[in-house]
């Protein structure tokens, strides 16, 4: 599930597989978060980052409330869950805020460097945090690696990660579901984006399509969502 809005908002939500309500959860979470972010745009008072950080947190908690409420109304949807990675930008100030729950990801590509901005809410990441010597490459293929430690929709209130910063001219942001990152290594993601030569005005849809193709060629059976945000400001 993906949303790009003219208000400088991009959202990726990936419904939890194995539950009939996964797609419903992703759709509801995107809609509720977008509504909160867009609805608050007219009430912006402080600097962008302070404003957007608090609105982002409120928006994610509002999405959580919507999911719980729907689960009460429709018992067959109870227990549905989704990841959510949302970004809101102020191109004039070059500022951005990201809110995140789950194992979708936001990356920043600056020059020839790819940085994962969000932290995966997964069992694997938790193990890595406890023991840095864990072999990430081997662990990512573990069947337990991708178990979520939190997502939206479950009884336990989510604790969203809220990140913010200022973009440099030419920065690119990549938001994606684990359907991409579970299949394609970071260095391959980076080279696909860099080869697209977006600085010279190439169509950003081309690398997005190539990333999805790469995930599918790698045997991806999960749905793949990718959005590339070009950040141009003076
Ligand atoms: Ca997934």
């Amino acid at each position: 599930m993906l949303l790009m809005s003219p208000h400088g908002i991009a959202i990726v939500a990936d419904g939890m597989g194995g539950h009939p309500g996964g797609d419903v959860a992703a759709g509801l979470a995107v809609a509720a978060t977008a509504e909160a972010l867009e609805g608050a745009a007219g009430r912006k008072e402080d600097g962008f980052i302070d404003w957007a950080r608090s609105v982002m947190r409120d928006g994610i908690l509002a999405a959580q409330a919507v999911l719980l409420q729907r689960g009460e109304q429709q018992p067959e949807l109870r227990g549905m869950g989704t990841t959510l990675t949302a970004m809101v930008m102020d191109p004039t100030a070059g500022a951005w805020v990201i809110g995140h729950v789950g194992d979708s990801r936001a990356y920043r590509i600056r020059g020839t460097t790819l940085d994962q901005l969000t932290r995966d809410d997964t069992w694997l990441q938790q193990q890595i945090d406890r023991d840095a010597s864990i072999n990430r490459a081997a662990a990512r293929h573990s069947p337990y690696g991708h178990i979520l430690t939190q997502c939206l929709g479950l009884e336990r209130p989510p604790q969203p990660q809220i990140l913010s910063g200022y973009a440099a001219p030419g920065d690119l942001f990549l938001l994606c579901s684990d359907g991409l990152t579970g299949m394609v290594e970071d260095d391959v993601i980076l080279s696909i984006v860099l080869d697209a030569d977006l600085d010279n005005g190439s169509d950003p849809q081309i690398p997005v399509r190539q990333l999805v193709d790469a995930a599918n060629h790698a045997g991806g059976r999960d749905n793949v969502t990718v959005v590339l945000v070009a950040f141009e400001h003076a």
Side-chain angles (χ1 to χ4, degrees), residues 14-17 83 103-104 177-180 222-224:
D14 186 20
M16 244 163 54
T83 75
D103 68 348
S104 299
S177 67
D178 73 322
L180 176 68
D222 205 354
N223 54 342
V224 186

Side-chain angles (χ1 to χ4, degrees), residues 147-162:
I147 292 173
L148 295 179
T149 50
Q150 66 167 348
C151 68
L152 294 188
L154 303 184
E155 291 294 333
R156 194 155 51 93
Q159 295 182 298
Q161 198 184 356
I162 308 285

Side-chain angles (χ1 to χ4, degrees), residues 123-124 127 134-147 182:
W123 183 87
L124 170 59
Q127 302 313 304
I134 285 177
N135 182 330
R136 282 167 183 261
R140 73 184 257 149
H141 299 295
S142 151
Y144 306 109
H146 298 278
I147 292 173

